[in-house]
Structures are given as structure tokens and as C-alpha cells.
Amino acid sequence: MSAIGDVARLAGVAKATASRALSGRGYVSTETRAKVVAAAQEIGYVASPNAASLVTGRTQSVGVIIPFISRWFFGEVLESVEQALLDQGYDMTLYNLPPESLERDRVFDFFLARKRFDGIISVGVALSEREVEHLHRLGRPLVGIGGPIRGTTTIEIDDVAAARLATEHLLSLGHRDIVHVGGSQVDEMDFHVHSNRLRGFQAAMMAAGLSVSGCFYSAEFTMPGGYERGLAILGDPRRRPTAIFAASDEIAFGLILAARELGIRVPTELSVIGIDGHPYAEMFRLTTLAQHPRAQGGLAVRTLLAELATKDGTKLHTRRESTAPDQTDTDGTSDSIVLATNLVIRSSTSAPRARVTHGS
Amino acid sequence: MSAIGDVARLAGVAKATASRALSGRGYVSTETRAKVVAAAQEIGYVASPNAASLVTGRTQSVGVIIPFISRWFFGEVLESVEQALLDQGYDMTLYNLPPESLERDRVFDFFLARKRFDGIISVGVALSEREVEHLHRLGRPLVGIGGPIRGTTTIEIDDVAAARLATEHLLSLGHRDIVHVGGSQVDEMDFHVHSNRLRGFQAAMMAAGLSVSGCFYSAEFTMPGGYERGLAILGDPRRRPTAIFAASDEIAFGLILAARELGIRVPTELSVIGIDGHPYAEMFRLTTLAQHPRAQGGLAVRTLLAELATKDGTKLHTRRESTAPDQTDTDGTSDSIVLATNLVIRSSTSAPRARVTHGS
DNA sequence: AGGCTTCATGGAACCGGTTCCATGTTGCTC
DNA sequence: GAGCAACATGGAACCGGTTCCATGAAGCCT
């Protein structure tokens, strides 16, 4: 269609001047700029980002890797990341890599290897040494959400602490017979979320002098997952706990539904607490430790763009002359930014009923 | 980093030959190709898509516009679209445009106007005349999901028919006192889904000789939305219907929860049917009219890529010489591909209890 | 053996921008 | 009024590929 050359011709200036006028870089007189802008407007000129990328090395777009799209946490992160990037004029290209994805290598070796992104955000995907290495070699900033990645800034919550706080809430209400329903070790490959929450639970229990053996059940991280586990755990009245700490709100919802189905009153006969701050928590009156995925997404984008701005001094476009001796760039700030969670108390938790001593 | 020139030099051939060898276009002897491939392998060469796009006009990437990410239907579509595109070597760039988005114009005029995409998929976003016009002018294929867009191939289900079928299921069980809980007119701007489902409901009711006045209640398209409406509708025992047709499974879940909370048995005292085929339907034992968003997404991609392949003959790269007289390209196949839905009967629906005649 | 087609390869133009460098202008200082 | 900095602009190189065109070597036909 219309190229910048056409704009220049129409405005009666050189390509170089038109470029400067439109991009705002370098010296251009006010009148010239006006002429160029008018010409561009007239023929409906829109710059080709490809051409610009080719010479500047900047693409104005960011790649995002994520294992799930429709699970609440990930959907929220995605929405906030997209929003923040759009605000700053960046495109977001999405790679959905479920835990067992066969495409994984192809995404890393082919899609991400092309210099198509100014930076990459990895959400809840545990990267292998090789993969991190691979991405670092691209010389593009990489920011993670949801767990530490070696040599990379990561936004996360303190899962151990969150789990401990949730458990302590139950303990403080007087519960002694507490069970944790969390993610299975098998799904764990995707991050340490599951085991961290389990550890937090165990830490709190042990600090209270309670045994943790037999207190953990695994479930899928979904409402049906919690529901099924709930039916199994609560089915046997003699082994029924007085409180359950669920590793996610969705699991907690499922547990509550299972309890209702079995005629067990929440919270009178069973307290349930979750982690997430899911929008449905209000409806289920669920007490939960709220995390804020949108804040995490927004912060990830700000962090990435800040690193990008810093790196701006150092020409992104690797000039062949500057044969820097393959520095591994380990100076990369490997901080882990921990965001706060907060306890939202609703009516799914309360003190346990007066204890009925078993067996006598 | 490494450019194709480096590969060529290492292999001892010209850039042109290296390009042919790697892209597989044009004549290259087997040995030469081997040499080039080996050289490329050796220095870890990865082609720059930007440079290629610049000359070919193809970007190997597709833009997707979608109003929600975390709602079930949209998440599913997104996952399947991404998957299908990745399979074919395409990138997916995502634009999240919620109904009231202020970014809307910016996305159309700036982000989508740059020749960055080979095609565009619009999911559940009603496009204005101007926007369609705008996209068509780019000369890139456009495929819609979820509703007709003038002059564009669209993948959809027959919402009217699906609603009618759902309603007929309730009627065939003997229900006469049926209520429809669907999307509000206000959200409607995003598509005709809401009003189409309402129309299907009304058609079935009227065909059965029943009045439809006062039989419709609007709700947010979420579980809490259905829950709240459910409490209101079912709260008054005298005006309680024997069956509810919910416009979405999530609404249906909410209705079921409300019923349980009010001590109303499903399906004995209240039948509930939804539309969607949500994965949680199993857990809620919900009878529903299943649609298949993944199939819709996959088909949309296949359709788009097919149009792209056709257009391939006609040089995508508009050569300045071919000053074709601004043809509006109204030949565009404006088909609407309608995908099937199917009734999945579970135990949220049954015949109504023996009728208790009111008032006497 | 001469002429043609098919295959192989290199040189150079080109896609559409950005940026370096050279060449002028002004305007201000001493 | 000479000297110098800041401002304006154009020409040309360049980013990294693809493709057109020309040249040449085989292989085949008559």
C-alpha cells in the first residue's frame, strides 16, 4: 500500500525527513512535521512494524508462555498482561503450553528463537536449564510469574507463607483435626506451588504440635476435583476432619458442594478455607487467602518494560563488530518480587462444634 | 546474530542459493542443500521472520480479537485456535476487547491496521460496519466465531434452534410452567446470542400454546449471576416454575445452587437445563445442550488458512503497478457455517411432580 | 552437431523503514 | 564580521531476507 516514500513525496520532503517527522526522533521543523503528518493522514499511511523492526531490532511485541488459559488464575494474569502491554503499545503473542505438551521444544527452538519479541513473560511454566539458557541467549529480557526461574526476575506470592497463614487461621479458631487437599505431585512438574503449599500447611501444623501424617489428600485443581475428593474424605463420619485447607478456591468450592451433598453443615460441622480470591468465593461465602493475579500480571509487564528501557542504551541490535566474548550475562537481576496475599474471612470457617470424644 | 549471509559464506554459496536451500523454493542440488543446512545448523541460524515478511508480505501470524479470556467458551476457543495455528506454524497475537473497552478504536486503527497479520479471527465480537470495512480493506481474510459478520465467513451454532431444543426437552417431559434465565439486553451489544436464545425459547413455548409473558429473567452470564437470579425467582413458592431453561451452563449451575439452598430438590421439584457442555456439568448432573467451542476454533483456523491459500495465487503483496480500481471485494464468501449442538441428558431434568392445582 | 529444455547458481534489486553523514542555514558570541 | 553551536534537511547505506534475471552446464531430441 502506501509506504513512507509516498508520504515523503506528497509532503515534498526526503524519506529521511518523513521518518523523523513521524517517529519524533531527530530534528524536524514544526512546519515540516505538520506537512508530513498531513500527508500521512491524507493517504492513510500506517507504518510497517516489520520494516522498522528490521533495522531497530525492536518489535514492539512480547511473547507469553502459559500452561492454561481458562483456569482462573491464568486467565486473570493473561487479561492483565494483555491490558498492560496494549497500554504501552505492545502486541502480545501467546503460546499455550500445557504440562504434557509435545509442542514444547518446537516453541522454544523455533517460535521463540526468531527475534520476534522484545521480551518474554513466562507464567507458571517451570523452565529447564536448557530453556532458560536458550532464552537468555536471545539477549531479550525474561520475566516469570509464579515461581523462581534461575537468573530471572520473577513475580510470585509466598506459597509457603500463604498456606501457613490459612492453616493458622483454622488453628486459631480451635481446629485440631485439619486436612489439606492440594495438587498432586504428578502435576507438580509445572511448579513448586503444590509442594510449597503443602509445606506451609505442615509447618503450621507441626508448630502447633500436631501430627501431619495422613492429613494430605491430592486432587485435581478444579471444582470437580475438590468435589470428588470431598465425597471420599467426608464420606466416612468417623474419620471426618473438622476443617479442611484447600490449596485453591476451586477445590474448596468442590469440597463445600460435597459437604452439602452429604448433609454436612459448613461451617458448623466443617470449616473450609482456600487460596486464591476467586470471584465465586463471595457466592460460596468462602474464607480464603486472596492473591491478586492481575497485580502480578501488571507488575510483570512493568518489570519487563523497565528492563527493556535499561537495555536500550546497550544497542539491542547486536552489531557484528562488537564481538563481546559471549558473556553469559549472569549479572541479570535474579530478584524474586513477592506480592502480598490477604486473608478474607467469610462464613465458611468458624470454631469447631463442642468436641464429641470418640469411642467413649 | 547470524544472518543468512553468514550461512551462505560458510557453505560457500551465494545468499540467493542459501535462501533457496533453506526455504525449499526453486532449484537447488541435493549436495548444495545439504551443505547449506549443515552450515545453518553449525552456527545456529534461525531465519528472521521480519525480513522475510517484508518482502513476501506474509507474516505467519494471525490476530485474534476476543471479549473475554477466562469465561469458559472463550477460553476453550482460544486454546483450540492457538493449538491449530501453532500446528501450522502460525503465531497468535491476542487482543482482549471487553464490551465496554476504550481501547477498541486503537486496536482497530493502529494495531490491526499495520500489516502484521496474515488474517484475523474475531471471536464473539460484533463488528461495526466501519470496523469490518476497515479490516476488509487490509486485504486479509477475516473469519468470525459466534455470529454473522457482514461479508465474512462465520462459524457459529444455531442459537435459536439450540434454545428451542432445550425448551422442547422440558416441554416433552411435561413441563408447562417454564422460565428462561438468559443474558441481559445490555450485554447484548456483543452479539445476538442472548436475544437468539430468548427467541428460540419463545418459539418453543408458543408452539406449545403457552404464554411467554413474564417468563424471562436476565442474569449475568456467570454462576453467581444464576445464583442470585435463582434466589429471587425461587424464593416465592407460589410463583415458582417447575422448570428453568438457562442460557448458559454457568447460569444453570448458579440456579441449581440457589435451589439447593432453598431446599428445592432438583430435578424432583425443579428441572434445570443449560446450554454449553461445560466440564462441570457432569458434577452438577446438568442436562445441557452441548456446543463444542474447540471444534469451532479449529474450524475457524482451517477456514482462515484455506482462504489464505486461495489468495496465495493473487499476490498478497500489492505491487504498486497493479492499480486495480479499488474493488470492494464484495465477492467475499459470506457463508455462515453452522456447527451442531447435541442434547446431553443428565439428572437435572425430569417430569414435573404431580401437579398441585393452585388456589383450590 | 546444433538447438532446446531443465537444472543450478550467482548478482543485484527490492521490501519499507531508520540512521549515519554531509551539507546548509540560522543565530549568537566575542 | 569571523567562528561556532544548534537546527534542518537530503542522500545513501543498511537491516536480513526473497526473488527476478542472466549465465552456464547438462541431458535430450532430431
Side-chain angles (χ1 to χ4, degrees):
Chain A
M1 294 296 161
S2 54
I4 199 172
D6 304 336
V7 175
R9 201 172 317 120
L10 184 56
V13 299
K15 265 174 64 179
T17 306
S19 173
R20 278 187 294 251
L22 294 171
S23 68
R25 273 180 290 269
Y27 295 117
V28 188
S29 73
T30 323
E31 315 110 67
T32 305
R33 167 167 295 120
K35 270 195 304 186
V36 173
V37 169
Q41 181 77 28
E42 185 179 333
I43 61 176
Y45 167 77
V46 179
S48 154
N50 284 315
S53 302
L54 197 51
V55 45
T56 60
R58 307 299 289 263
T59 61
Q60 296 293 101
S61 97
V62 166
V64 172
I65 319 172
I66 203 161
F68 309 102
I69 291 181
S70 42
R71 290 201 188 172
W72 175 74
F73 175 82
F74 297 96
E76 289 286 300
V77 167
L78 221 44
E79 285 187 7
S80 62
V81 165
E82 195 271 347
Q83 177 66 45
L85 286 174
L86 207 63
D87 269 0
Q88 304 297 317
Y90 280 78
D91 275 335
M92 177 181 89
T93 297
L94 190 61
Y95 297 102
N96 179 212
L97 283 185
E100 2 64 51
S101 176
L102 301 171
E103 308 277 19
R104 192 160 175 132
D105 284 347
R106 209 160 132 256
V107 167
F108 280 92
D109 297 341
F110 175 65
F111 285 98
L112 292 177
R114 313 177 296 174
K115 308 115 193 173
R116 214 167 210 184
F117 308 114
D118 290 345
I120 290 167
I121 294 180
S122 165
V123 188
V125 176
L127 303 177
S128 70
E129 282 288 323
R130 175 182 153 278
E131 288 164 349
V132 173
E133 168 69 14
H134 210 107
L135 294 183
H136 270 307
R137 186 146 29 188
L138 292 176
R140 303 294 194 255
L142 168 64
V143 168
I145 296 182
I149 299 175
R150 221 181 57 82
T152 297
T153 310
T154 307
I155 319 291
E156 57 185 336
I157 61 164
D158 186 338
D159 284 299
V160 179
R164 199 173 45 225
L165 282 173
T167 310
E168 283 169 359
H169 172 66
L170 297 175
L171 289 167
S172 75
L173 288 170
H175 293 277
R176 315 262 93 193
D177 203 351
I178 307 175
V179 149
H180 173 49
V181 177
S184 78
Q185 254 58 347
V186 186
D187 291 340
E188 179 76 336
M189 50 174 66
D190 274 286
F191 252 118
H192 310 290
V193 176
H194 302 174
S195 53
N196 281 344
R197 293 185 185 178
L198 175 57
R199 278 172 46 210
F201 166 73
Q202 291 172 334
M205 290 292 276
M206 286 161 73
L210 298 170
S211 160
V212 294
S213 79
C215 286
F216 170 71
Y217 297 91
S218 74
E220 228 192 291
F221 251 59
T222 63
M223 206 184 302
Y227 176 72
E228 285 193 23
R229 259 298 175 239
L231 290 180
I233 296 171
L234 304 170
D236 181 354
R238 287 166 311 172
R239 297 186 42 217
R240 183 183 305 160
T242 64
I244 302 183
F245 158 47
S248 84
D249 280 359
E250 288 232 30
I251 292 179
F253 300 152
L255 292 170
I256 290 176
L257 291 179
R260 287 186 192 166
E261 182 132 335
L262 294 169
I264 301 166
R265 290 167 191 279
V266 175
T268 330
E269 298 173 281
L270 177 75
S271 285
V272 178
I273 189 171
I275 292 186
D276 267 347
H278 192 289
Y280 293 3
E282 183 65 43
M283 183 182 88
F284 284 99
R285 300 183 204 84
L286 179 71
T287 297
T288 186
L289 240 104
Q291 63 172 324
H292 308 281
R294 306 194 81 94
Q296 296 181 45
L299 186 52
V301 169
R302 282 202 300 284
T303 307
L304 188 77
L305 264 40
E307 287 191 27
L308 223 39
T310 307
K311 209 163 239 169
D312 227 1
T314 339
K315 269 252 180 283
L316 246 193
H317 214 47
T318 325
R319 285 287 151 85
R320 231 175 302 280
E321 297 87 42
S322 68
T323 325
D326 223 349
Q327 50 178 3
T328 342
D329 201 65
T330 346
D331 70 291
T333 40
S334 162
D335 325 272
S336 165
I337 305 175
V338 177
L339 288 191
T341 54
N342 58 296
L343 182 63
V344 179
I345 300 180
R346 298 199 181 84
S347 46
S348 70
T349 49
S350 72
R353 271 201 308 195
R355 204 80 179 293
V356 181
T357 317
H358 287 298
S360 71
Chain B
M1 292 293 165
S2 54
I4 201 173
D6 304 337
V7 175
R9 200 172 317 120
L10 185 57
V13 299
K15 263 174 63 177
T17 306
S19 173
R20 278 187 295 252
L22 293 172
S23 68
R25 273 181 291 269
Y27 295 117
V28 186
S29 73
T30 324
E31 316 111 65
T32 305
R33 166 167 295 119
K35 269 195 307 186
V36 173
V37 169
Q41 182 77 29
E42 187 180 333
I43 61 176
Y45 168 76
V46 178
S48 154
N50 282 316
S53 302
L54 197 51
V55 46
T56 61
R58 307 299 291 260
T59 61
Q60 296 293 102
S61 97
V62 167
V64 173
I65 319 171
I66 204 162
F68 309 101
I69 291 181
S70 42
R71 291 200 187 171
W72 175 75
F73 175 82
F74 297 95
E76 290 286 299
V77 167
L78 221 44
E79 283 187 10
S80 61
V81 165
E82 194 271 348
Q83 177 68 43
L85 286 174
L86 207 64
D87 269 1
Q88 303 298 317
Y90 280 78
D91 276 336
M92 177 182 88
T93 297
L94 190 62
Y95 297 102
N96 180 210
L97 283 184
E100 4 62 54
S101 176
L102 301 171
E103 309 276 18
R104 190 157 177 138
D105 285 346
R106 210 162 131 252
V107 166
F108 280 90
D109 297 342
F110 175 66
F111 284 99
L112 292 177
R114 313 179 293 178
K115 309 116 193 172
R116 213 169 210 180
F117 309 115
D118 290 346
I120 290 167
I121 294 179
S122 164
V123 188
V125 177
L127 304 178
S128 70
E129 282 289 322
R130 177 182 153 277
E131 288 163 349
V132 174
E133 167 68 14
H134 209 109
L135 294 182
H136 271 306
R137 187 147 28 189
L138 293 176
R140 303 295 196 253
L142 167 64
V143 169
I145 296 183
I149 298 175
R150 222 182 57 82
T152 297
T153 310
T154 307
I155 319 291
E156 55 184 336
I157 61 166
D158 185 337
D159 283 299
V160 178
R164 200 173 44 224
L165 282 173
T167 309
E168 282 168 0
H169 173 66
L170 296 175
L171 289 166
S172 75
L173 287 170
H175 292 277
R176 314 263 94 192
D177 202 353
I178 308 174
V179 149
H180 173 48
V181 177
S184 77
Q185 253 59 344
V186 186
D187 290 341
E188 179 75 334
M189 50 172 68
D190 274 287
F191 251 120
H192 310 291
V193 177
H194 301 174
S195 53
N196 282 344
R197 293 186 184 175
L198 175 57
R199 278 172 46 209
F201 165 74
Q202 291 172 333
M205 291 291 277
M206 284 160 74
L210 297 171
S211 158
V212 294
S213 80
C215 287
F216 170 71
Y217 297 91
S218 73
E220 228 192 292
F221 251 59
T222 63
M223 206 184 302
Y227 176 72
E228 286 193 23
R229 259 296 175 242
L231 289 181
I233 296 171
L234 304 171
D236 181 355
R238 287 166 309 170
R239 297 186 41 216
R240 184 183 303 160
T242 65
I244 302 182
F245 158 47
S248 86
D249 281 0
E250 287 231 31
I251 291 177
F253 301 153
L255 291 170
I256 291 176
L257 291 180
R260 287 187 192 164
E261 182 132 335
L262 294 168
I264 301 167
R265 290 168 192 277
V266 175
T268 330
E269 298 172 280
L270 178 75
S271 285
V272 178
I273 189 170
I275 292 187
D276 267 348
H278 192 288
Y280 291 3
E282 183 66 44
M283 183 183 89
F284 283 99
R285 299 182 205 84
L286 179 72
T287 297
T288 186
L289 240 104
Q291 64 172 324
H292 308 282
R294 307 193 81 92
Q296 296 181 47
L299 185 53
V301 170
R302 283 201 300 284
T303 306
L304 188 79
L305 266 40
E307 287 191 28
L308 223 39
T310 307
K311 208 163 239 167
D312 228 0
T314 340
K315 269 251 180 285
L316 247 193
H317 214 46
T318 325
R319 285 286 152 86
R320 231 175 303 279
E321 297 86 42
S322 68
T323 324
D326 225 350
Q327 51 178 3
T328 343
D329 203 64
T330 345
D331 69 292
T333 39
S334 162
D335 325 271
S336 164
I337 304 176
V338 176
L339 289 190
T341 55
N342 59 297
L343 181 63
V344 180
I345 300 179
R346 297 201 181 84
S347 45
S348 70
T349 49
S350 72
R353 270 201 311 196
R355 204 80 178 294
V356 179
T357 317
H358 286 301
S360 70

